[in-house]
Amino acid sequence: MAGVYGPHPFGYNRAMKSLQNLRIVLGITGGIAAYKSPDLVRRLMERGASVRVVMTTSATAFVGPLTLQAVSGQPVATNVLAMADGNAMGHIELARWADLVLVAPASADFLARLRMGRADDLLAAVCLTTTAPIALAPAMNQQMWQAPATVENCVVLRERGIHMIGPAAGAQACGEVGPGRMEEPLAIVEQVAEMFANRALAGRKVLITAGPTREPIDPVRYITNRSSGRMGYALADAARDAGAAVTLISGPVTLTPPDQVELISVETAAQMHEAVMSKVVGQDIFIGCAAVADYTPAAPAARKMKKSEVDLALTLQPTADILAAVAGSGNGLFTVGFAAETDNLALNARAKLQRKALDMIAANLVGGPDRGFDSADNELHVFWADGDRVLPLASKSRLARELVALIAERYQAARSANVGD
Ligand code: C5P
């Protein structure tokens, strides 16, 4: 949706951090600072965010829903029952839609209700339902802000990972001076941008495969490849640092498991396939970085095969293509594949993008001593349906961060195109 203010006509100014494609549910609670909320909506939208406003009943006594509807270009929701009119989203839809729930101003009463986990109005219900980050810009009389109950509520909310913006100190509407003023809209926008500057995948779930697979010939021998798993592990680190909940399904490697990442260790292509398919539901992005064996011995021997003087022929059968299976699973994941090529990089990568119905493919030329499979550095040429980008030779950890940023960008673009906003 274009919105009243739409995106900046000249693209965003690089000095100002962008909120491009960020979906924000702005909650407004009852407080005099609510008179600044229309300005906040406008400034969030100027940076490229889509904003849907949810007001508590008492907020409507301070600022009119019609004003917020006009500036946001979207229906304003005030209570759960109003959802029945079919125009606005319900609390579940709003909670799912949001990349961020921002409550500004957040009253003392709202902080208390949020801490309690109440769901007795639409805004509280959205906060309870969402998996997106929540940010609060408290605004209240300075005594209320310093009251032990409020102080304790804020400690608990912070512990739960809720982000606090302000309050600022200064003259208050009640005539007192002290902490409790809502931060100015521009300062709130800056802090929101800061939150997302390096957190392009906040609230997203990312499934990654890494490493080689081992295909048994007999109990002691196997077929494998030279994949070290380093790129996949670096991607897991980078996606986690970008705010995603990461599940890493790894073949046998000698790397240290990444912190705060769910690690599932497997050996064979068949086990990797099974592990991926059991985890695919509910994920947003799949990155198939593993060097999965294309063939596996058709009938691995149950006991160690004995040496003999005659030739030995092994019958190999194809493994399932995990990446193509995820792309075709109907779960709507944004799928990213890798292509290790020795020649005709662009042509082969684009063909693979199409054949496996992927959203993106990261191709690299293998064979040189300084890049690819078993080395610390790599260079990638990334392709998607209507574009491509070269990520020049760099360490795998740096390259992983750049690739994750690019995946986040393309993922958001695809998502916006799908919902038409
Ligand atoms: O077709 P090719 O094997 O070159 O494609 C490589 C890409 O496909 C990688 O992203 C790899 O993780 C994935 N792949 C897979 N399952 C297979 C073979 C490859 O997921 N059986």
Side-chain angles (χ1 to χ4, degrees):
M1 69 97 212
V4 200
Y5 292 89
H8 196 282
F10 310 112
Y12 83 92
N13 172 353
R14 283 209 160 267
M16 295 199 320
K17 288 199 185 76
S18 171
L19 296 176
Q20 206 64 48
N21 295 321
L22 196 72
R23 300 164 172 198
I24 301 177
V25 167
L26 175 65
I28 306 177
T29 69
I32 181 58
Y35 85 90
K36 296 181 181 173
S37 298
D39 186 38
L40 177 58
V41 172
R42 194 175 64 87
R43 290 184 186 277
L44 290 167
M45 291 176 67
E46 267 175 2
R47 301 277 184 108
S50 299
V51 180
R52 305 229 177 205
V53 176
V54 176
M55 301 175 78
T56 61
T57 310
S58 47
T60 61
F62 291 91
V63 59
L66 210 55
T67 307
L68 288 149
Q69 182 165 323
V71 288
S72 69
Q74 295 291 334
V76 169
T78 49
N79 63 57
V80 187
L81 293 176
M83 300 296 97
D85 72 7
N87 248 339
M89 292 182 181
H91 70 283
I92 308 270
E93 282 167 289
L94 277 165
R96 282 197 192 132
W97 177 86
D99 293 321
L100 169 72
V101 178
L102 169 65
V103 184
S107 65
D109 178 68
F110 187 75
L111 299 183
R113 289 197 294 123
L114 192 59
R115 187 230 170 132
M116 294 289 288
R118 302 289 295 253
D120 49 357
D121 68 10
L122 181 63
L123 182 57
V126 168
C127 289
L128 201 58
T129 313
T130 196
T131 54
I134 298 176
L136 308 175
M140 64 200 71
N141 163 274
Q142 51 112 5
Q143 294 289 1
M144 291 171 90
W145 174 250
Q146 292 174 91
T150 307
V151 170
E152 197 188 299
N153 289 338
C154 286
V155 168
V156 173
L157 292 171
R158 278 202 186 91
E159 275 170 9
R160 288 186 200 153
I162 289 176
H163 194 91
M164 293 287 182
I165 301 176
Q172 299 206 303
C174 52
E176 295 177 18
V177 176
R181 284 168 57 95
M182 187 175 85
E183 279 289 7
E184 290 304 321
L186 203 56
I188 295 176
V189 171
E190 280 304 333
Q191 290 207 36
V192 167
E194 202 57 52
M195 269 177 84
F196 283 86
N198 297 312
R199 303 198 42 92
L201 292 177
R204 301 284 161 240
K205 290 191 173 162
V206 179
L207 185 61
I208 301 175
T209 62
T213 62
R214 276 181 190 164
E215 307 305 319
I217 297 170
D218 68 17
V220 295
R221 303 179 181 96
Y222 51 78
I223 300 173
T224 190
N225 58 60
R226 287 159 54 104
S227 168
S228 66
R230 269 188 289 215
M231 190 66 201
Y233 276 56
L235 283 166
D237 279 332
R240 176 207 57 218
D241 291 346
V246 179
T247 302
L248 177 63
I249 299 179
S250 174
V253 296
T254 53
L255 302 170
T256 314
D259 284 340
Q260 295 164 51
V261 163
E262 182 190 10
L263 177 69
I264 300 174
S265 297
V266 296
E267 286 226 347
T268 64
Q271 288 167 358
M272 187 173 276
H273 181 243
E274 197 187 324
V276 167
M277 296 326 273
S278 76
K279 281 282 171 186
V280 91
V281 175
Q283 301 284 336
D284 298 300
I285 297 172
F286 177 72
I287 310 176
C289 191
V292 186
D294 292 324
Y295 293 93
T296 189
R303 290 201 242 164
K304 187 179 172 198
M305 290 162 68
K306 298 281 178 271
K307 187 160 70 177
S308 92
E309 297 304 311
V310 295
D311 290 354
L312 172 70
L314 279 177
T315 305
L316 302 179
Q317 65 185 25
T319 56
D321 191 313
I322 301 170
L323 187 57
V326 172
S329 69
N331 287 296
L333 273 78
F334 186 91
T335 46
V336 183
F338 273 74
E341 303 291 344
T342 51
D343 53 288
N344 278 333
L345 184 105
L347 207 68
N348 288 332
R350 281 218 175 271
K352 213 166 277 182
L353 183 75
Q354 280 204 335
R355 191 174 67 244
K356 300 196 187 195
L358 309 178
D359 295 290
M360 256 173 92
I361 193 149
N364 63 319
L365 270 183
V366 288
D370 58 346
R371 61 194 68 185
F373 263 172
D374 207 9
S375 74
D377 289 350
N378 206 358
E379 178 177 50
L380 293 174
H381 194 162
V382 188
F383 300 87
W384 57 97
D386 51 3
D388 68 305
R389 193 176 300 170
V390 172
L391 304 180
L393 192 64
S395 71
K396 283 184 177 169
S397 69
R398 164 128 186 239
L399 210 55
R401 285 198 298 276
E402 290 175 2
L403 183 58
V404 162
L406 181 57
I407 290 171
E409 186 187 309
R410 301 310 315 159
Y411 168 75
Q412 286 293 357
R415 216 166 153 251
S416 302
N418 278 343
V419 291
D421 63 354

